[in-house]
Amino acid sequence: MQMCILIFVGNNGETYFNTAALVSCVQNFPKSRGPVVGILKGFAGLSGAILTQIYTMINFPDQAALIFMVAVGPAMVVVALMFIIRPVGGHRQVRPSDGLSFTFIYSVCLLLAAYLMGVMLLEDLVDVSHTLIIIFTVILFLILVVPVVIPVKLSFSDEPKDLAVEEVLLPKPEQQEAGKSEQDEVIFSEVEDEKPKEVDLLPASERHKRIAQLQAKLCQAAAEGAVRVKRRRGPHRGEDFTLMQALIKADLWLIFFSLLLGSGSGLTVIDNLGQMSQSLGYDNTHIFVSMISIWNFLGRVGGGYFSEIIVRDYAYPRPIAMAVAQLVMAVGHVFFAMGWPGAMYIGTLLIGLGYGAHWAIVPAAASELFGLKKFGALYNFLTLANPAGSLIFSGVIASSIYDREAEKQAHQHHIPPQISVSIFSGMFAVDEPPKCEGSICFFLTSMIMSGFCIIAGVLSLILVNRTKTVYANIYGKSRT
């Protein structure tokens, strides 16, 4: 019971750190939500490997010291930085060098991922001396510190800020109060209902011209009393929603169930990766655990980068990127199911990339559709899909199918359920769970997970169809 309470407190504390950093950075960089979320979530996923390397260098003699380091170290960092991690007033000021800065950070991320993968594989396969481990860890610290060069350089530069760049957001309440009447706000929302569907197929410049003409006609007709503008019952897509307002919207539940199916199937692989590799005849399972953590990191960073290109350069809805990630995961599950030679390596790559991409795409998409005002509450509600999917898919489906296949093999080979520890301790028999061998152990589970990923992709495409107008209005306008 005490351990359960400690795990509960520890995981909730990590959620607080995650929410504070994510919400603050998304509010500070609203024009670069994909890259910001991808970088933050990527480093969060890679933090375990970084702390493991630090622990290996310090070489504590007992595990209690490791737990103490994990408990105290992050808390000290958070307390030291909590006064500077906040939304700042200058977030609407865009620097011309922002694109170059993000490219530099992406380069550091790729270097860090490649370096960590090489170090982990080397330490798994070769007996590395403690001196060499210290050198590896020092180099790791140097790579982690490199991105600090960007804010230091910008603080000493006189680079002008582009104040003329528009907010890539729909009108906010404070903007409406400052220069827009309530009637104009309602008329603006009516445009979405009144405009012909073929308007969305026009080029960006022509589309906004037609929308402006329609809005002007509605304003004139409302002023003359020729039409009666209906009052809307809450915010529209792209405006600030509260959690309760978002809960009655189909868009939120499409995101939630798509994330549940996609991330839940990915967690099923991560949770059972050791058994999966053992069943296919691999002795060193640590290699695949290390690899999937790296692919997870690259998936988060890459998901944010490529989804930003999709919405920024083509004005397509961001959930398209989520559908692609789920298709990639569906293929990865098929590789696990077939058990072909080398399938573990390819499956680990595809599942890691697809699973990681979810956690860069979903927060950015949620902030675009439901606003930033209550983004923390919306984001943490959506993260409930992760443990729910793990509980159902891994804890119920995967484990029950594996146990059934293991029992079948045990009966075929006439293996007794109890195996004694030694000749002298035969009276103290230990119940060992039967083990399963071969691709059949996870064949059905993997095919079910692949089907879930396909369903998740269909849900994402439905969301794409529902939100294409919003993204066309937001990002199509930013390109004109």
Side-chain angles (χ1 to χ4, degrees):
M1 183 63 183
Q2 182 182 5
M3 182 60 68
C4 293
I5 295 175
L6 293 175
I7 294 174
F8 173 80
V9 173
N11 280 280
N12 276 276
E14 186 270 340
T15 303
Y16 275 100
F17 300 156
N18 196 0
T19 304
L22 190 64
V23 173
S24 300
C25 290
V26 169
Q27 290 179 348
N28 287 335
F29 299 94
K31 297 178 184 299
S32 304
R33 305 180 193 200
V36 167
V37 175
I39 291 170
L40 288 175
K41 299 297 290 184
F43 276 99
L46 207 61
S47 59
I50 295 173
L51 289 176
T52 300
Q53 185 63 31
I54 296 174
Y55 172 76
T56 305
M57 179 192 71
I58 299 175
N59 195 21
F60 285 125
D62 58 88
Q63 295 181 351
L66 170 63
I67 297 175
F68 179 78
M69 183 193 74
V70 172
V72 175
M76 293 175 62
V77 174
V78 170
V79 171
L81 299 178
M82 68 180 182
F83 297 103
I84 62 174
I85 305 298
R86 67 192 189 283
V88 294
H91 69 280
R92 294 181 180 87
Q93 301 175 358
V94 179
R95 296 178 183 267
S97 63
D98 281 353
L100 184 61
S101 299
F102 278 114
T103 302
F104 177 75
I105 294 178
Y106 274 122
S107 302
V108 175
C109 290
L110 294 176
L111 175 62
L112 178 64
Y115 177 76
L116 268 177
M117 171 171 283
V119 169
M120 287 189 295
L121 291 177
L122 184 64
E123 292 178 350
D124 282 338
L125 299 176
V126 180
D127 188 12
V128 181
S129 65
H130 186 65
T131 303
L132 196 56
I133 290 176
I134 294 176
I135 295 174
F136 287 156
T137 309
V138 171
I139 297 175
L140 174 63
F141 275 118
L142 293 176
I143 297 175
L144 290 173
V145 172
V146 166
V148 179
V149 171
I150 294 177
V152 172
K153 179 182 177 182
L154 292 177
S155 63
F156 289 100
S157 68
D158 296 328
E159 180 183 354
K161 303 178 182 65
D162 186 3
L163 300 178
V165 180
E166 297 181 88
E167 278 290 330
V168 189
L169 297 168
L170 289 178
K172 290 185 177 181
E174 61 266 26
Q175 295 169 336
Q176 296 163 357
E177 293 173 2
K180 193 175 184 181
S181 66
E182 184 178 359
Q183 183 181 13
D184 290 339
E185 177 191 349
V186 177
I187 291 174
F188 178 81
S189 67
E190 287 293 304
V191 174
E192 294 296 322
D193 300 327
E194 297 293 335
K195 70 178 181 181
K197 292 184 178 179
E198 58 268 17
V199 172
D200 294 330
L201 303 178
L202 296 173
S205 58
E206 182 65 22
R207 179 173 64 248
H208 291 294
K209 182 180 178 181
R210 293 281 296 275
I211 290 175
Q213 293 173 351
L214 179 58
Q215 187 177 358
K217 290 180 180 179
L218 282 174
C219 290
Q220 183 178 0
E224 295 174 355
V227 296
R228 183 178 180 181
V229 181
K230 60 183 180 181
R231 318 298 290 184
R232 58 176 187 167
R233 299 180 178 178
H236 283 208
R237 293 188 187 102
E239 300 176 355
D240 289 325
F241 282 73
T242 65
L243 178 60
M244 297 306 297
Q245 290 172 332
L247 285 175
I248 62 175
K249 298 296 182 180
D251 294 345
L252 183 73
W253 292 106
L254 285 171
I255 296 176
F256 181 85
F257 284 110
S258 180
L259 180 61
L260 186 147
L261 295 173
S263 68
S265 65
L267 272 180
T268 301
V269 171
I270 295 173
D271 292 343
N272 297 277
L273 196 58
Q275 287 182 322
M276 294 175 75
S277 58
Q278 287 178 354
S279 66
L280 294 177
Y282 293 94
D283 295 328
N284 195 347
T285 62
H286 299 291
I287 295 178
F288 299 105
V289 176
S290 301
M291 288 177 61
I292 202 168
S293 65
I294 301 296
W295 302 137
N296 182 15
F297 169 77
L298 292 178
R300 297 183 185 209
V301 175
Y305 177 77
F306 289 109
S307 68
E308 193 70 17
I309 292 177
I310 289 173
V311 300
R312 186 73 57 186
D313 295 346
Y314 301 98
Y316 292 152
R318 198 181 295 270
I320 284 181
M322 190 159 66
V324 172
Q326 287 153 352
L327 177 61
V328 169
M329 292 184 67
V331 176
H333 286 297
V334 172
F335 273 93
F336 281 125
M338 295 296 105
W340 296 317
M344 278 296 299
Y345 294 95
I346 299 176
T348 300
L349 168 66
L350 298 178
I351 296 298
L353 291 176
Y355 173 78
H358 279 78
W359 296 107
I361 299 168
V362 169
S367 69
E368 289 162 337
L369 296 177
F370 302 106
L372 294 173
K373 190 174 182 180
K374 301 295 182 181
F375 174 61
L378 292 166
Y379 165 73
N380 283 298
F381 173 78
L382 290 173
T383 57
L384 292 176
N386 207 40
S390 177
L391 176 64
I392 298 171
F393 301 158
S394 180
V396 177
I397 297 177
S399 61
S400 60
I401 293 176
Y402 180 87
D403 291 342
R404 186 187 65 185
E405 294 296 336
E407 290 176 0
K408 284 183 181 179
Q409 293 186 2
H411 289 306
Q412 291 173 358
H413 295 86
H414 305 288
I415 299 176
Q418 289 187 339
I419 303 176
S420 58
V421 177
S422 65
I423 299 176
F424 300 101
S425 58
M427 64 182 68
F428 302 105
V430 179
D431 292 333
E432 287 190 2
K435 293 184 179 180
C436 182
E437 297 180 356
S439 60
I440 190 63
C441 304
F442 287 93
F443 174 81
L444 182 58
T445 298
S446 298
M447 295 305 295
I448 292 174
M449 296 301 116
S450 181
F452 283 154
C453 287
I454 294 174
I455 296 174
V458 172
L459 294 178
S460 298
L461 292 177
I462 294 174
L463 184 64
V464 168
N465 185 62
R466 290 173 58 89
T467 59
K468 59 184 179 181
T469 301
V470 178
Y471 280 91
N473 289 338
I474 298 176
Y475 290 99
K477 183 177 181 180
S478 68
R479 294 170 57 197
T480 58

